[in-house]
Amino acid sequence: MKLFTRYNIILLLISIFGLALIGYLFYKTQTFYLDKQIDHDMVEEVMEVKEYAEKNIFYEPHEFEDLIVQYKSISNLQKHPVIIYGDTVLYNPVKHQTERARYLRTELSLIGKPYQVMVIASKVEREEQIKSICLIILLPVILLVGVLLLVNRIMIRNLWKPFEKLIENITAFNLSQEKPFEPVDTSISEFRTLNDAVVSLSKKIRTDYQEIKLFTENASHEMMTPLAVINSKLDMMLQSSDLGSEGGETLAELYRATSRLTKLNQSLLLLVKIDNSLLKDQEQLDIKELIEDKISYFQELIQKRGLQLKTNLEEASIFSSHQLMDILINNLFSNVIRHNYERGNIEISLTSHKLSFKNTGHNKALDPEKIFERFYKDNASEGTGLGLSILKQICLKQNFNLEYHYETDLHVFTITF
């Protein structure tokens, strides 16, 4: 949830709660004063009852008044009669309905006899007046709050536009591109400070990245030359007839070590290029054709080890980097051949959205959580431990899904396009 959306929701909830509370308190206050007014009117009615009693007449309200006066004869008056107020209900004979009412009960001496007098006054008309007053006052307030919320939402959206633009530019910023980070022009001091900090940070990151990239490329390039010289010299020495058996074995070990170091250097350099998106030759590729070309390329090695190759290839075309796909398929073939045993099996299947390589092997199921980590390999492997990491990085860059599982003595690598 966005920040200003959450802010607006909180503000809206507070406004609704505040309006409800104010409306409730206002209604209760008006009701309280209504009861006071009705009580005052009923006291005046009692005064009229007394005035009529002096004329030996019992007072009766007019029919159009929502008022009832009831007389009840009692044996004697209290020493200090009190006036009691309360709420009750009243049957209105004119409207033929029961209404909420207020009553006053007291004791009086009328025409020489003690009576309990109860005055009952309807509250309907005055409650309707209160509701009208509440609506007249609260409706404009609700409208005003609604307008304020709308204006507040529009203002916040406009105020946060520089921040959203800044986030958009940060997301679009790419170290591998020469395009610098685009600053955002804003009059808000906090956003301007944030913008300056991001611009400064992006420049430092780009500088550090360029230095690391240059160092990696130069180091890899400089390492390749002495490694090539060492390999060449070792190769010449291995072919020399002057070497003894012990010296030959030592040189052979040195030759294998330098060859492994060369492969490791090439693999690390390739990972750097993949991580930094330096291979961008995007085009429409025929995956079936690429696999068939690789089958021809590895055919001699497959036959030499007596491997049984089964294929089920359908037409499949994707938009991807030709170099990356060539490396990916090449590594898959190298993996299923290198980690297989003599006269083992290889199965390759291809559909329009999935590529699967299966192979037998000396080892049982590998750890699917660690298999794609860099330098992870079993003890018997003579590889660099980077082949599957390269596969993983290529799939991440191309938005493919790479999975490994073990089924019926087969190691299965599945790529979903």
Side-chain angles (χ1 to χ4, degrees):
M1 182 183 293
K2 291 186 177 180
L3 178 62
F4 76 90
T5 302
R6 169 168 281 187
Y7 170 78
N8 283 329
I9 290 175
I10 295 173
L11 185 62
L12 180 63
L13 292 175
I14 293 174
S15 300
I16 292 173
F17 176 77
L19 283 174
L21 181 62
I22 291 172
Y24 174 78
L25 293 176
F26 182 75
Y27 180 79
K28 284 297 182 182
T29 303
Q30 290 295 313
T31 303
F32 174 78
Y33 283 108
L34 165 67
D35 291 343
K36 289 294 183 183
Q37 183 64 42
I38 294 175
D39 293 346
H40 180 267
D41 292 343
M42 288 190 298
V43 170
E44 292 184 352
E45 292 296 326
V46 171
M47 298 301 294
E48 288 204 31
V49 167
K50 290 181 178 180
E51 290 178 3
Y52 273 77
E54 291 175 358
K55 302 175 185 179
N56 295 325
I57 301 173
F58 284 100
Y59 171 74
E60 292 293 339
H62 296 288
E63 290 184 1
F64 59 84
E65 293 183 287
D66 291 335
L67 191 69
I68 295 176
V69 180
Q70 297 175 347
Y71 302 93
K72 181 180 179 181
S73 178
I74 57 177
S75 58
N76 52 13
L77 293 174
Q78 294 181 4
K79 185 176 181 180
H80 299 289
V82 295
I83 298 177
I84 300 174
Y85 300 96
D87 291 321
T88 185
V89 290
L90 164 69
Y91 179 76
N92 191 322
V94 178
K95 298 179 181 178
H96 302 287
Q97 64 181 20
T98 301
E99 301 174 351
R100 293 182 61 197
R102 186 85 174 159
Y103 72 85
L104 178 154
R105 186 172 66 238
T106 187
E107 296 178 357
L108 297 173
S109 178
L110 304 175
I111 315 177
K113 294 182 179 181
Y115 284 90
Q116 183 187 75
V117 179
M118 181 178 286
V119 181
I120 305 174
S122 174
K123 297 171 64 173
V124 172
E125 288 188 4
R126 298 198 182 187
E127 285 182 340
E128 291 297 327
Q129 291 176 357
I130 290 177
K131 290 179 181 178
S132 299
I133 292 171
C134 289
L135 288 175
I136 290 172
I137 294 176
L138 291 178
L139 282 178
V141 172
I142 292 173
L143 181 61
L144 177 61
V145 171
V147 171
L148 289 176
L149 288 174
L150 180 62
V151 171
N152 178 74
R153 180 178 177 83
I154 295 172
M155 286 183 62
I156 288 180
R157 180 173 293 176
N158 290 331
L159 288 173
W160 280 86
K161 275 186 178 179
F163 180 79
E164 292 179 348
K165 181 63 177 176
L166 188 62
I167 295 296
E168 181 182 335
N169 291 352
I170 292 174
T171 305
F173 180 65
N174 193 336
L175 282 173
S176 61
Q177 297 178 354
E178 295 298 327
K179 187 178 179 181
F181 177 81
E182 293 185 9
V184 177
D185 186 21
T186 175
S187 59
I188 302 174
S189 176
E190 291 81 0
F191 291 160
R192 191 165 57 247
T193 302
L194 177 61
N195 179 75
D196 294 341
V198 173
V199 170
S200 175
L201 182 62
S202 67
K203 289 180 180 178
K204 186 177 185 307
I205 291 173
R206 183 177 288 279
T207 301
D208 293 344
Y209 167 76
Q210 293 295 340
E211 290 178 357
I212 293 173
K213 178 183 174 184
L214 184 62
F215 170 78
T216 304
E217 292 175 350
N218 290 341
S220 298
H221 178 74
E222 293 300 324
M223 287 174 64
M224 290 301 295
T225 302
L227 284 173
V229 172
I230 293 172
N231 279 333
S232 177
K233 296 295 183 181
L234 288 173
D235 189 50
M236 291 174 61
M237 293 178 68
L238 284 171
Q239 295 177 11
S240 173
S241 58
D242 298 332
L243 285 174
S245 59
E246 185 177 348
E249 290 179 3
T250 303
L251 285 177
E253 290 179 3
L254 288 173
Y255 186 80
R256 285 193 295 271
T258 53
S259 297
R260 185 171 178 275
L261 184 59
T262 301
K263 292 179 181 178
L264 180 62
N265 182 63
Q266 292 173 341
S267 298
L268 288 172
L269 182 59
L270 178 60
L271 276 172
V272 170
K273 290 182 177 180
I274 295 173
D275 288 341
N276 295 286
S277 303
L278 300 179
L279 304 175
K280 300 179 180 179
D281 53 329
Q282 300 284 327
E283 59 181 276
Q284 201 69 29
L285 300 175
D286 187 338
I287 305 301
K288 181 180 178 181
E289 183 179 342
L290 286 176
I291 294 174
E292 289 174 343
D293 289 343
K294 289 298 177 182
I295 290 174
S296 300
Y297 180 79
F298 286 99
Q299 187 65 41
E300 184 177 348
L301 184 57
I302 292 172
Q303 291 178 351
K304 183 178 180 181
R305 300 196 59 190
L307 301 175
Q308 302 297 317
L309 175 61
K310 297 180 181 180
T311 61
N312 182 18
L313 306 178
E314 299 179 6
E315 297 293 335
S317 178
I318 62 170
F319 187 77
S320 179
S321 166
H322 188 281
Q323 285 182 275
L324 290 180
M325 288 304 300
D326 187 75
I327 295 169
L328 182 130
I329 295 174
N330 192 81
N331 278 19
L332 285 171
F333 267 99
S334 298
N335 185 69
V336 296
I337 294 173
R338 183 188 303 117
H339 299 288
N340 216 325
Y341 49 72
E342 300 294 329
R343 302 187 181 281
N345 297 319
I346 298 174
E347 297 179 14
I348 304 173
S349 62
L350 173 67
T351 64
S352 59
H353 62 282
K354 185 178 293 185
L355 173 62
S356 177
F357 274 68
K358 302 178 182 180
N359 68 281
T360 52
H362 296 286
N363 297 320
K364 295 298 181 181
L366 302 174
D367 189 345
E369 299 294 329
K370 297 181 179 180
I371 189 172
F372 299 113
E373 293 181 2
R374 294 183 182 183
F375 302 109
Y376 173 79
K377 60 178 182 176
D378 60 86
N379 297 328
S381 175
E382 297 182 356
T384 61
L386 292 175
L388 295 179
S389 297
I390 292 173
L391 287 181
K392 186 66 175 179
Q393 287 301 107
I394 292 175
C395 289
L396 287 174
K397 289 296 180 181
Q398 298 297 303
N399 295 319
F400 299 157
N401 183 41
L402 175 61
E403 294 179 345
Y404 163 81
H405 66 277
Y406 187 78
E407 62 177 28
T408 60
D409 297 329
L410 291 175
H411 298 275
V412 183
F413 291 88
T414 304
I415 298 174
T416 305
F417 305 128

